[in-house]
Structure formats: structure tokens, C-alpha cells
Amino acid sequence: MPVAYSQGFTPHPKISYASAAPTGVASEAEYLEIGLCEEVDPAELRIALDAALSPGLDILDAVVAGPGSLADRIDASRWRIELPGVDPAVLRHAVSAFLAAPEVPVERMTKQGRRVFDARGAVVSIDVISTTEAPSEVEGVPCAILEVVVRQVTPSVRPDDVLSGLRVVADLAPPVPPRATRLAQGTLTAQGEIVDPLEADRDGAAIGER
Amino acid sequence: MSVASAAARRSAAMTVWPQLEPLLPQVSKPIQYVGGELGAVVKDWDSAAVRWALMYPDAYEVGLPNQGVQILYEVLNELPDVLAERTYAVWPDLERLMRAHGVPQFTVEAHRPVGAFDLLGVSFATELGYTNLLTALDLAGIPLLAVDRTEAHPVVLAGGHAAFNPEPIADFLDAAVLGDGEEAVLEITDIVRAWKEEGRPGGRDELLLRLARTESVYVPRFYDVDYLPDGRIRRVAPNRPDVPFRVHKRTTMDLDAWPYPKKPLVPLAETVHERYAVEIFRGCTRGCRFCQAGMITRPVRERSITTVGQMVQQGLEYSGFSEVGLLSLSSADHSEIGDICSGLAERYAGTNVSLSLPSTRVDAFNIELAQELSRNGRRTGLTFAPEGGSERIRRVINKMVSEEDLIRTVVTAYTNGWRQVKLYFMCGLPTETDEDVLQIARLAHEVIKAGREATGSKDIRCTVSIGAFVPKPHTPFQWAAMERPEVIDNRLKLLKQAINADRSLGRAIGFRYHDGEPSLIEGLLSRGDRRVGAVIRKVWENGGRFDGWSEHFSFQRWVEAAAEVLPQFGVDLDWYTVREREQTEVLPWDHLDSGLDKDWLWQDWQDALAEYEQDDCRWTPCFDCGVCPSMDTEIQVGPTGRKLLPLTPVRGLRMPATSSR
């Protein structure tokens, strides 16, 4: 890729990640901006980049960036959290308590040390999904599934913070580590939907595999 | 092997990923256990005839860039019916979780259990990885003692420089290979393949015997060690017919025929070196008497300028690295190093590719090279290694550089724009006195004074970095006594005071050093015999892990373990470390042949004590170290007279050769 480099003593490739997922979660929707020093066909760029990346890191789409930064177009994420060994009824009860609370203070170690912040305010919606299909690689135990829409705030509220919140309000303690997957991120509409941040640059014409 | 156990073995070879994945959010830097690097190879388990697990027994961040493992990984995976995967030492946080959840030691590519492979090859660059070997074996479900293993377990094989004396870990190993690995792994693969195809006749014993018969694979169990009443070794001899009395090292000749790595691994996690590394030559005959690498890798074999150029071009194209390291034991000694540096600098001018030349000598030519390599880049730091502080001690160690040369070289660096120079020394060398070490302070003061005068600037710095000397097998210093840690630590304290005695000069001098204690243990392990294995095991049982890391290393644990297990043999920690050996003593590695004639090594040791220097055989007549005739090898050096031609710049996207996944 003809990637552009920053000027200065130690030139770095111009790559910036918008609200990257935390360590230890899965994601179907990550976005990054790359500065290039010459024009290329986005469809070809997608193929070239995809070929260089590890299996499981798939480049789905690339567009030429219009005005404005990517970060400005991302203000919320939708997460799916699988909780193997948790009874959906128990989870529903915990979620009701969480929704009823005006504030849910949780604690997390950050680089600056231990911080306490509210996990409730950033949560736009939180639902227990009823599904008949068994989630991946989990057999023989009940498995409750949460779908959560969380606004980008500082400090960010991550899936593990929401789970901490459920422990705070209802003593929910999953017997095995839950699995979180980011399903989407983008601009939050008044209806609570998330709009793909690349939509505005796509010019109506689909590029790539979508 | 019965059908049932074969099936069990196959199912055991399935991935442990579902068990491992839930543990990863609970450990630090989980990305190091995930695999998926560019350059990683995942093959079908069932269609592989021979399966290797390659281990570097340290953390992923240190192990991944290891050149030896990368080369063998690629050489093996190029064979269609051979599968090679990598495994590294897991940190104690993951080790605890793996034990709690019954997850075995795994490879990073396909997360297969290490215990299911045919061979586990472990590369030991340093002896401080021995406890990590035991952790890996234990986690893999492989019995620690080789005698307890059955056909169901991998053959555990050691390589790397420490394998030139594998005696301290002999009980834990099935075999060891001395020297270059490229051809050795192919030969071992052929033997394992044939034995498996024949239906594993004679079981594990027969396989090990076939390996031993090559005369270049050492199988410790086929040798018995007898001791004298005073604790010294009486003799080491084969305990069965048809195994050789001595095992010989391997030497890969014609490096141009082995241009690896071609497809270097590009890590997703942060590692200690992120660069494309190409060996420009192997071996060194400078003859520094402390340097095991220089002694055991003889003779010098250069890679041609043409191959170096091709490897750099292809390696960068494949990997996308922006740094190139031109590696060897003394890189400025390549017969065409000037043309290599200027040719590469020319080729990559105006790009973000930076070139580095580690391991250089102390002379002005070296600065010309450094200038060439930093043409349009930074001039941050240059490193020189005079190794010894006084002229006297430099004669003892055969590091021929005069004080005048050293100061002139460093000043040239300052006047050419370098602001920071690092000087590397050793402490604890044979015959060393406090005075020899204090000379380092005087030298550093002179360097700063001369540098300030020449540049008219106070903005120059020098860092003095001190490593502790550890006597190594197959070197002229293999007979030497080590200095006690308290003596070393005191010398370093005196040195620090001497550096800071002049406040103005002292401010411009940085001082870095290591304590003497870890080096004493490295000394125990490097010159130990089979009895030291019990110490390693005891330390490991008491929690010893990652001994190369100061935050994990516990001197106390080693001292206590040695005091507990060695007295039964009539020896102790001092006996292995601070005791000088006599000429007639049988050394634990005498039956392992590095090609060096023991009489020549003894003579060189006597020359060291007499402060008599030895020239380099590349430029002066052969001095009969013994390697070339005994190994049937020869010096391979240029010049070829060729130059590097400019590359056609590649613009735009580089599309994959095959269609995308």
C-alpha cells in the first residue's frame, strides 16, 4: 500500500483507529482510516490489505474518505454478549434492575489506576435476546444472550463494564467468562438505530463485498 | 502403536483453542498466544508424515524474532509432507490458568497440543531458558525425564549455542544437535519419516539409535558418565556399541544456497526486534577468547553481496518491515561490506527503510559505514565494544584495539554528527583487577574530553554498559575461575564512583550494568555436568521460571537448590563456578566436538595468561585451531567484485499473487 508517513524525527504510517474494541472481545465492525500518498482503487486496496492480514481479520469494505473525521461519525456500538451457564430468566431480572437504576457505578483498573464511573448513562438499550439456536461452541448448558447499544463516552463503557453493572445491581455472576462481540458501530439515530459510518462516502455505488 | 492409541493421538492433535480462548481475557498481552502472523503456516495434520513443534523457551516477544527458529520453521514447512509449528514459554499468569483448566502447552499456529507432535525442537540461545523447558514439558504432559517417555511422546531435541554443552539438561533431553540446523533438521526428518513408515521398528530406542548413528546427533542416554572420588569426571563413554565416541557439530557450507528466512514472520504483538534480519556471514575468527559464538561457529562463511541484496529485497517486499538488520558476529568484517552498505543505502534512499549494522568493530571504517547507512536518517547512537577497560586486559581477551584508536574512533563519530556513543565492556574477566575496571572510567572521561574539544559542544554523551563475564564451553576461557558476585558488584561500585569523581565529565556519562548474581548461575549452567540437572529441577519445582528476566530470577532460589542437591555428589556451587580447572581435567563437553582442538584451546588460554595476542586467520596464516581439517570445511569469503544495481521503484498497490482468501 502506498501509505503516507508523518513528518518528523520518527515517521509513522498514517493510520488511525476509531474507537477500537477493547482486548479480549470479538468484533464484526472495526473501522480505521489510512492516509495514502497516491490514489488507488478502494476495491483493490481492500483485496491487497485483506491478503496481508491474518486469517480472521477480514477487510470488508473500503471507501475514499470524504470530509470530516471517521471518529465524528461513530458515537455508538451494538454489542452481543453471550453468557454461557446463565439462565435467561435470571438475566432478565438483572437487566430490569439495571434499567431501573438511575446510575450504576462500576470500578475498573485503567492506565491511570482504579476508576469508578457510571455504566448506566451510556447504555441506550439493553435486551435479553430469545434465541433457539445454540451459540458457538457452547453445549449442554443454558446460555443467555444480551444485546446492548452503548454510546461512546469517556471513559468508555465496555461490555465488561455493563456486566460489572449487572453484578452491582443484581449480583449476576456468570460461571464462565462471557463472550462479547461488537456487531456494529456508527452514528446513532433518534430511533436508536446505528448507521454505517462509511455510508456517507459510498456515493450510492457499493464497493467491495457488501 | 495400536489403532486405539493412534486415534487418541489424532484427536489429541485437534485444536485446544476452545479451552484456551476463554482464558485469554484474563491474562496479560493475550495477543501473543493467538498466532495468525504473516508468514505463519498452518497445514493439515493428517497429511503430514513428520510433525515438528519448534520452541524458543522464552516469552513470545523475545522468541518470535529468533533467526534460528524462523529459518528452521521455513526449511521444514517447505517440505510438502512435513508440518512445523511454533511454541513459546507462557507467562506464569497463563500457566496458572492452563493448569487449573487442564489446557496443555500449545502451538501458536493451530493451537495443537505439543505432546502430539513427533518432535519437540528447543532452541537454547542461553542456559537461562532451562527452567522454561521444564514448564513446557510439564504442561505438554511429556514426562520430565527422558527415560520415562514412551513412543506416545515427542522426541525432545535441543539446539542452539547452549546445546554445545547440554549435559545439565541431559536427563530431560532425548537428543541434542550441535551447530547449524538447516541440514540437520532435514536429516532428522528423513530418519523419523523412514522409521514411522516402517511401522516404528524397535520403538523409541531404535529411533534414537538411528539418530545417534549419524554421529551428529547426541543422545545422552547412550553415554555414561563416571566420576572420580574428588567429584571430577573420570570419563564419558558410550554404553552400547555402534554409537560414536564423539558427536560432531554440523556446519552449513555455502550460505547462498540457504537464503532463509525468505518469508519472515511478522508479529501482531510487539516484539523485541521488528525488522528483516539477514545474516551477511556466519562464523568469526577474530578470536575474542570470551566469545563462545566466535569459537563454535567457525569457519567464516560469507553470504555474497548479490544474495544479501536479493534477500533484503524479497524479505522487505514480503513482510513490509521498514528496518533491515545486517547480522553477523562482526558485520564490518564482510569482504564487501562497503559495497553492501552503499548499495543498499542507494536502493532505499528516499524510502522509510532504515538499515542497521550491529556488532561492529572499533575503527574509523565502521563510522564510514554508519554514515552510509544513516544517509537521510537519524544519527542517534553508535555502539562500540572494546570489552576490556585496560590495554592489558584487552590483550588477555584478544580484543585488539588500542586506547588511541578507540578515542579517535569515538571522536570521529561525534564530529560526524553522532551525539550519543555506547561503549560496551565486561567485568569479571580472567586475571582482572580493580585497576583494569577503573580504567573504564578514565577511558570514558578521555572520550568526553576529546569529544567536547573536537566538536566545541557540550551536547555529547557516552553510555558505559557493563556485562558480567561468563566462561563458556569450547572457549579458551573454559578452564577459568569465575569471580564472586560480591567482588564484581564492588568493582562496579568503585567504577561508578570513579566515573562521577569528575562532576562535569560524569554528567555526560551514563552507566548501565548487571548484577553479578545471575551471571554466576549462568556460569553454573554453562559449564555444568549432568549432576546440575537436579539443581535445575529443584529450582523449577520451587517456582523458578523465566530466569533471564531480572523480575523473575531469584538468586536465593538457585543457591538454596544447589546447597540442597549438590553435596550428595561431593561438589557445590563454588566448585562449578569459582574453581579454575586443570589441563588434564575431563570437561563435561569433551565428547562433543566443536572442531576446536583442545590442545589449541589450552595453548590459547596460556597465551591469554601471558597477554599474548592471536591474529585472525582470514588475513594471516592458519593458526591450527583445528576446525577446518576436522570438520572438512574451509573459509568462504569474497570479494565477488559484484555491485548492487538500483531497483525499479514499485508504485501503487502490491496485489497478492493468488486471489484473496
Side-chain angles (χ1 to χ4, degrees):
Chain A
M1 262 186 341
V3 64
Y5 279 77
S6 63
Q7 299 296 307
F9 201 56
T10 48
H12 283 292
K14 287 190 173 172
I15 300 173
S16 61
Y17 297 85
S19 60
T23 304
V25 305
S27 179
E28 301 290 346
E30 295 299 300
Y31 294 86
L32 71 152
E33 269 176 307
I34 305 174
L36 298 177
C37 55
E38 56 188 270
E39 271 187 39
V40 298
D41 176 358
E44 289 190 351
L45 178 112
R46 188 200 70 76
I47 294 168
L49 197 52
D50 193 45
L53 283 172
S54 306
L57 287 178
D58 300 326
I59 303 292
L60 301 176
D61 199 0
V63 299
V64 177
S69 85
L70 185 57
D72 292 341
R73 298 180 192 176
I74 294 181
D75 48 26
S77 288
R78 181 183 302 116
W79 294 94
R80 176 187 166 107
I81 308 172
E82 295 173 2
L83 298 112
V86 173
D87 184 338
V90 173
L91 182 62
R92 250 178 240 115
H93 169 77
V95 164
S96 308
F98 185 86
L99 285 170
E103 248 184 50
V104 181
V106 296
E107 221 181 46
R108 180 178 11 118
M109 274 308 274
T110 69
K111 278 179 190 147
Q112 288 80 38
R114 195 163 287 280
R115 287 192 68 166
V116 177
F117 53 94
D118 175 33
R120 173 67 187 88
V123 173
V124 179
S125 65
I126 176 166
D127 299 295
V128 180
I129 304 296
S130 44
T131 175
T132 47
E133 63 178 293
S136 50
E137 294 155 4
V138 180
E139 284 165 27
V141 286
C143 180
I145 298 173
L146 267 182
E147 228 176 82
V148 193
V149 174
V150 187
R151 247 192 298 274
Q152 297 288 336
V153 289
T154 311
S156 63
V157 172
R158 312 188 311 200
D160 53 324
D161 300 320
V162 174
L163 292 168
S164 301
L166 293 174
R167 183 178 302 122
V168 168
V169 296
D171 270 340
L172 186 83
V176 294
R179 299 153 182 262
T181 306
R182 178 184 258 162
L183 299 178
Q185 51 176 335
T187 316
L188 187 67
T189 67
Q191 291 73 39
E193 293 301 307
I194 290 176
V195 178
D196 180 351
L198 302 191
E199 201 58 54
D201 295 324
R202 219 171 254 129
D203 245 352
I207 300 167
E209 286 186 347
R210 279 212 174 159
Chain B
M1 186 182 273
S2 73
V3 176
S5 65
R9 192 163 161 149
R10 192 156 44 243
S11 71
M14 286 167 56
T15 177
V16 303
W17 181 249
Q19 293 81 50
L20 177 66
E21 192 184 10
L23 309 182
L24 294 182
Q26 306 169 56
V27 303
S28 67
K29 298 187 193 166
I31 183 86
Q32 67 187 306
Y33 306 115
V34 170
E37 306 96 335
L38 184 68
V41 178
V42 178
K43 289 188 173 181
D44 179 45
W45 181 264
D46 291 319
S47 40
V50 179
R51 305 170 184 116
W52 283 80
L54 299 177
M55 176 173 199
Y56 190 86
D58 202 334
Y60 179 88
E61 63 194 82
V62 177
L64 182 120
N66 181 264
Q67 191 80 353
V69 172
Q70 290 209 18
I71 290 170
L72 301 186
Y73 181 68
E74 206 174 332
V75 165
L76 288 167
N77 273 322
E78 279 183 359
L79 299 178
D81 68 339
V82 175
L83 171 161
E85 299 194 3
R86 292 161 295 127
T87 185
Y88 303 95
V90 299
W91 285 108
D93 61 349
L94 183 58
E95 184 194 337
R96 258 189 310 276
L97 287 168
M98 285 165 70
R99 289 187 188 282
H101 292 84
V103 177
Q105 179 80 22
F106 56 86
T107 57
V108 292
E109 285 86 356
H111 301 95
R112 286 165 174 145
V114 164
F117 285 75
D118 297 313
L119 297 129
L120 169 60
V122 191
S123 177
F124 289 101
T126 148
E127 297 82 4
L128 295 174
Y130 289 163
T131 47
N132 284 354
L133 167 70
L134 298 191
T135 308
L137 291 176
D138 191 48
L139 283 173
I142 301 170
L144 293 187
L145 295 178
V147 292
D148 296 335
R149 292 174 201 150
T150 70
E151 257 179 82
H153 301 115
V155 170
V156 180
L157 196 71
H161 288 183
F164 276 81
N165 176 25
E167 290 300 87
I169 50 169
D171 291 345
F172 314 124
L173 296 178
D174 294 297
V177 177
L178 281 61
D180 297 330
E182 288 95 339
E183 291 161 292
V185 292
L186 296 179
E187 187 175 352
I188 292 166
T189 299
D190 286 343
I191 290 170
V192 172
R193 185 196 288 113
W195 174 77
K196 284 176 76 175
E197 275 169 4
E198 291 163 29
R200 303 169 192 258
R204 196 176 179 86
D205 190 70
E206 163 84 14
L207 174 61
L208 293 175
L209 186 61
R210 290 186 187 187
L211 291 171
R213 281 201 202 118
T214 63
E215 304 198 357
S216 65
V217 178
Y218 173 50
V219 179
R221 74 176 61 179
F222 295 155
Y223 298 80
D224 287 338
V225 183
D226 295 324
Y227 300 95
L228 295 164
D230 67 4
R232 288 179 302 156
I233 293 172
R234 184 197 306 275
R235 62 173 210 151
V236 180
N239 56 23
R240 58 193 294 163
D242 62 13
V243 297
F245 276 88
R246 298 190 81 199
V247 180
H248 313 293
K249 77 161 179 181
R250 303 291 303 232
T251 310
T252 300
M253 298 302 288
D254 188 9
L255 293 196
D256 282 357
W258 298 90
Y260 298 91
K262 301 172 189 164
K263 296 180 173 177
L265 291 158
V266 184
L268 298 172
E270 213 174 313
T271 59
V272 291
H273 295 299
E274 281 159 10
R275 63 181 182 196
Y276 178 64
V278 52
E279 276 179 289
I280 60 175
F281 64 88
R282 216 175 268 182
C284 180
T285 36
R286 284 256 155 197
C288 303
R289 292 179 174 125
F290 54 84
C291 179
Q292 186 191 38
M295 293 288 162
I296 62 178
T297 61
R298 295 173 175 200
V300 171
R301 290 145 289 152
E302 284 188 357
R303 189 165 264 152
S304 71
I305 178 171
T306 316
T307 306
V308 169
Q310 256 167 22
M311 286 177 70
V312 170
Q313 183 191 348
Q314 287 166 5
L316 289 181
E317 240 170 57
Y318 179 81
S319 66
F321 281 129
S322 56
E323 195 186 326
V324 176
L326 303 172
L327 309 190
S328 77
L329 293 170
S330 178
S331 292
D333 286 343
H334 191 287
S335 64
E336 289 176 293
I337 189 64
D339 287 334
I340 290 177
C341 290
S342 59
L344 289 175
E346 192 66 46
R347 278 186 173 181
Y348 298 102
T351 70
N352 282 294
V353 172
S354 68
L355 305 162
S356 68
L357 194 67
S359 303
T360 48
R361 355 178 267 246
V362 187
D363 61 27
F365 177 58
N366 178 39
I367 297 188
E368 275 173 46
L369 297 177
Q371 268 178 290
E372 197 68 83
L373 296 181
S374 62
R375 259 190 217 183
N376 48 2
R378 302 169 277 155
R379 294 193 174 168
T380 44
L382 269 185
T383 301
F384 299 102
E387 313 280 5
S390 68
E391 300 244 14
R392 189 197 73 78
I393 202 81
R394 288 199 292 274
R395 283 196 298 274
V396 171
I397 63 179
N398 202 40
K399 186 87 187 188
M400 291 187 277
V401 48
S402 72
E403 178 164 332
E404 215 187 321
D405 277 348
L406 176 70
I407 293 174
R408 194 183 323 115
T409 305
V410 176
V411 169
T412 311
Y414 288 140
T415 51
N416 279 292
W418 274 276
R419 289 283 157 262
Q420 167 86 33
V421 167
K422 188 169 154 194
L423 298 177
Y424 184 83
F425 297 93
M426 277 189 292
C427 185
L429 291 161
T431 77
E432 180 184 280
T433 62
D434 289 358
E435 188 47 37
D436 290 312
V437 173
L438 290 176
Q439 290 286 318
I440 297 171
R442 206 184 46 76
L443 206 54
H445 286 169
E446 291 300 323
V447 157
I448 295 293
K449 265 193 258 176
R452 284 179 180 173
E453 207 169 287
T455 59
S457 161
K458 287 220 157 187
D459 181 28
I460 51 161
R461 282 189 60 77
C462 148
T463 300
V464 169
S465 183
I466 316 269
F469 165 70
V470 178
K472 297 275 175 164
H474 307 279
T475 69
F477 289 164
Q478 63 183 354
W479 291 279
M482 285 187 84
E483 201 52 272
R484 289 183 189 280
E486 39 299 5
V487 176
I488 304 262
D489 292 349
N490 186 54
R491 271 185 197 150
L492 295 177
K493 205 174 84 191
L494 293 176
L495 173 58
K496 192 174 185 180
Q497 285 165 0
I499 287 174
N500 292 323
D502 183 314
R503 302 263 311 266
S504 160
L505 295 173
R507 260 200 302 276
I509 300 168
F511 184 53
R512 287 174 209 281
Y513 63 94
H514 296 287
D515 298 331
E517 291 181 343
S519 305
L520 192 80
I521 300 308
E522 198 184 328
L524 164 74
L525 298 175
S526 71
R527 291 192 298 174
D529 51 39
R530 293 189 181 182
R531 296 169 293 191
V532 172
V535 183
I536 297 167
R537 182 161 187 171
K538 179 59 72 181
V539 165
W540 177 77
E541 284 167 355
N542 292 341
R545 306 285 188 277
F546 288 91
D547 285 299
W549 296 69
S550 55
E551 61 268 49
H552 289 274
F553 176 81
S554 162
F555 184 60
Q556 200 53 36
R557 192 151 45 203
W558 282 96
V559 169
E560 282 168 12
E564 200 178 326
V565 305
L566 291 179
Q568 60 178 309
F569 306 118
V571 292
D572 59 15
L573 181 55
D574 278 0
W575 190 85
Y576 284 102
T577 54
V578 300
R579 180 179 65 96
E580 183 169 334
R581 279 71 160 164
E582 285 171 14
Q583 184 176 13
T584 51
E585 179 165 343
V586 176
L587 301 173
W589 52 90
D590 277 352
H591 57 301
L592 302 175
D593 183 13
S594 61
L596 295 158
D597 178 14
K598 197 177 178 188
D599 291 338
W600 177 80
L601 284 171
W602 179 262
Q603 188 53 49
D604 206 41
W605 170 225
Q606 298 310 303
D607 287 350
L609 297 174
E611 300 168 20
Y612 179 82
E613 293 163 326
Q614 172 63 60
D615 271 328
D616 189 317
C617 63
R618 272 171 294 182
W619 305 299
T620 60
C622 170
F623 47 76
D624 291 327
C625 74
V627 173
C628 289
S630 70
M631 295 288 135
D632 193 20
T633 54
E634 60 186 0
I635 300 173
Q636 293 180 330
V637 292
T640 62
R642 294 176 196 276
K643 306 276 183 254
L644 292 177
L645 301 174
L647 298 175
T648 320
V650 186
R651 289 180 60 83
L653 281 172
R654 198 161 45 80
M655 298 300 282
T658 52
S659 62
S660 97
R661 282 186 301 268

